[in-house]
Amino acid sequence: SQTIHQWPATLVQPVGSPLSLECTVEGTSNPNLYWYRQAAGRGLQLLFYSVGIGQISSEVPQNLSASRPQDRQFILSSKKLLLSDSGFYLCAWEGQGKTGEQFFGPGTRLTVL
Amino acid sequence: AQSVTQLDSQVPVFEEAPVELRCNYSSSVSVYLFWYVQYPNQGLQLLLKYLSGSTLVKGINGFEAEFNKSQTSFHLRKPSVHISDTAVYFCAVSPSGGYQKVTFGTGTKLQVIP
């Protein structure tokens, strides 16, 4: 069966520090991968998606970036965090049928102070 | 492009009462429809999905939803809620046929009152 991992689970970082969040998927190959952000009490904002290794599409211009160095690994990064980067970050992968059904990781709670 | 509207940001309901969470969508093409649930500090979990076939879809935890093409709706229902159903529920839509991005609604917080 397929599983998706995210780490760390929680993170507290000062403004201006770098960021690296990692997402890995097991039990499937060539998945579509997604990064979402959820601000407190808000809906999901799609940040990046990837249909293959090295292929990244950005949905929202900001100081975040994403990379996909391996088929089942998706990394969210920043060189300098802003206060507005605080939120709950979710990674998701799309099922083989490409119906839009997505499977979500447990999330990373990021607080920027 | 498609859009999803969840008009109710919060729905309070007493335990063991029925509940309906509303979802309307807009799309120029055929769609797949989903309901997800998010418990506090967790990722989203799929409740149910409509891809084709019967318009009444049954999901996990006793939830069901009905696809109404003429009204472009996909409302979620449960005949009797439990305290454990307290969570945020997201409706989502994806154009059918090939890879397309999913659009999520803004979510409805279901608060079950003892």
Side-chain angles (χ1 to χ4, degrees), chain A residues 32 34 36 38 44 49 59 88 90 94 98-102 104-106 109, chain B residues 32 34 36 38 41-44 46 49 51 90 94 98-99 101-102 104 106:
Chain A
N32 292 336
Y34 303 83
Y36 292 91
Q38 194 175 24
L44 295 169
Y49 68 94
E59 288 295 300
F88 192 50
L90 290 162
E94 185 178 7
K98 300 293 191 286
T99 62
E101 179 180 353
Q102 295 185 9
F104 287 80
R109 174 75 59 192
Chain B
Y32 300 135
F34 309 88
Y36 290 85
Q38 185 180 32
N41 295 311
Q42 294 185 27
L44 277 68
L46 183 71
K49 60 186 176 185
L51 303 181
F90 291 93
S94 170
Y99 167 70
K101 287 174 290 186
V102 178
F104 287 86
T106 52

Side-chain angles (χ1 to χ4, degrees), chain B residues 25-75:
Chain B
Y25 70 92
S26 171
S27 177
S28 57
V29 299
S30 298
V31 295
Y32 300 135
L33 294 156
F34 309 88
W35 275 100
Y36 290 85
V37 60
Q38 185 180 32
Y39 300 104
N41 295 311
Q42 294 185 27
L44 277 68
Q45 177 184 1
L46 183 71
L47 268 181
L48 49 80
K49 60 186 176 185
Y50 171 78
L51 303 181
S52 65
S54 173
T55 57
L56 182 62
V57 180
K58 293 188 182 298
I60 62 171
N61 301 341
F63 284 93
E64 64 179 31
E66 186 158 17
F67 171 52
N68 188 318
K69 188 174 182 179
S70 63
Q71 297 186 8
T72 61
S73 67
F74 191 54
H75 301 332

